C-alpha cells in the first residue's frame, strides 16, 4: 500500500471515528443514558478469562455443573469442551429446550408479540417425517445391479 492509499485509509477511519462519537453523544442526549461504547484500550470483558476457567477446571477448583441433576444453562457454557458435548454445545442444547418465555421473559420483537401467549408447542418430530413403513416400501435395499 502506498502513502496515498494509506492517507486515504487514515482519513476514512478518522471520519468514522468522528461519526461514531457524534452518534454516541446524540444517543446519550436523546435517551439520557451513557453510551455502551468503550474507550480505546478499555477491555470489553466483564468476567474471568477463558484461561482462568481452564486452570480452575484442570485443578478441580470449579465443580462440574453436569454433576448436578438440573444444571443452569449459564454454568454449562463455561465448563468443559464442545467436542466432548460440554461447554457451548451443552449450553445451546439447553437453550433450545426452553421456550422464548423462559429465555427472554418478555417479548423482544413484534413477531414475539404475535405468538407470545400461544400454548407451549411440542418440539417432537414432524407428523410427516419418514416412517419405517414408507422407508421400507419405497426405498429398497437392492439396486438395479443386484437383480436376481
Amino acid at each position: 500500500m502506498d502513502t496515498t492509499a494509506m492517507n486515504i485509509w487514515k482519513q476514512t477511519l478518522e471520519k468514522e471515528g468522528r461519526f461514531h462519537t457524534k452518534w454516541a453523544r446524540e444517543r446519550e442526549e436523546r435517551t439520557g443514558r451513557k453510551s455502551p461504547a468503550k474507550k480505546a484500550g478499555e477491555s470489553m470483558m466483564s468476567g474471568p478469562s477463558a484461561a482462568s476457567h481452564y486452570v480452575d477446571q484442570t485443578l478441580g477448583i470449579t465443580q462440574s455443573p453436569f454433576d448436578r441433576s438440573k444444571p443452569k444453562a449459564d454454568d454449562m457454557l463455561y465448563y468443559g469442551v464442545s467436542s466432548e458435548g460440554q461447554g457451548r454445545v451443552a449450553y445451546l442444547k439447553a437453550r433450545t429446550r426452553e421456550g422464548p418465555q423462559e429465555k427472554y421473559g418478555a417479548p423482544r420483537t413484534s413477531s414475539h408479540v404475535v405468538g407470545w401467549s400461544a400454548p407451549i408447542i411440542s418440539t417432537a418430530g414432524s407428523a410427516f417425517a419418514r416412517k419405517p413403513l414408507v422407508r421400507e416400501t419405497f426405498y429398497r435395499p437392492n439396486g438395479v445391479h443386484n437383480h436376481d
Side-chain angles (χ1 to χ4, degrees):
M1 181 181 285
D2 63 345
T3 56
T4 307
M6 181 67 106
N7 288 334
I8 291 172
W9 185 252
K10 266 195 323 193
Q11 288 175 354
T12 304
L13 290 177
E14 289 170 359
K15 183 178 178 183
E16 286 180 6
R18 285 192 306 270
F19 179 76
H20 177 71
T21 54
K22 176 184 170 194
W23 178 85
R25 192 175 347 99
E26 289 176 358
R27 180 180 178 274
E28 185 178 332
E29 291 170 1
R30 190 173 55 246
T31 61
R33 292 188 319 202
K34 205 69 167 138
S35 177
K38 299 285 183 185
K39 293 184 177 111
E42 194 172 328
S43 176
M44 296 288 285
M45 293 194 45
S46 60
S49 67
S52 66
H53 278 292
Y54 174 74
V55 170
D56 290 348
Q57 290 171 20
T58 54
L59 295 177
I61 297 170
T62 306
Q63 182 184 5
S64 172
F66 298 101
D67 293 342
R68 295 182 226 141
S69 62
K70 187 111 174 158
K72 291 183 357 187
D74 294 339
D75 294 339
M76 288 190 280
L77 180 62
Y78 296 110
Y79 192 89
V81 183
S82 294
S83 62
E84 296 174 357
Q86 298 177 342
R88 184 170 181 254
V89 170
Y91 170 77
L92 292 174
K93 281 184 181 177
R95 290 284 288 184
T96 56
R97 289 187 208 112
E98 297 176 354
Q101 290 85 355
E102 293 88 29
K103 286 181 191 176
Y104 308 115
R108 295 265 175 113
T109 63
S110 59
S111 61
H112 278 177
V113 173
V114 172
W116 199 256
S117 60
I120 297 174
I121 298 169
S122 172
T123 57
S126 171
F128 304 104
R130 290 186 179 175
K131 305 278 190 228
L133 177 68
V134 174
R135 190 180 309 132
E136 292 168 5
T137 306
F138 293 112
Y139 303 102
R140 299 182 184 200
N142 297 333
V144 176
H145 300 292
N146 297 332
H147 188 275
D148 288 332

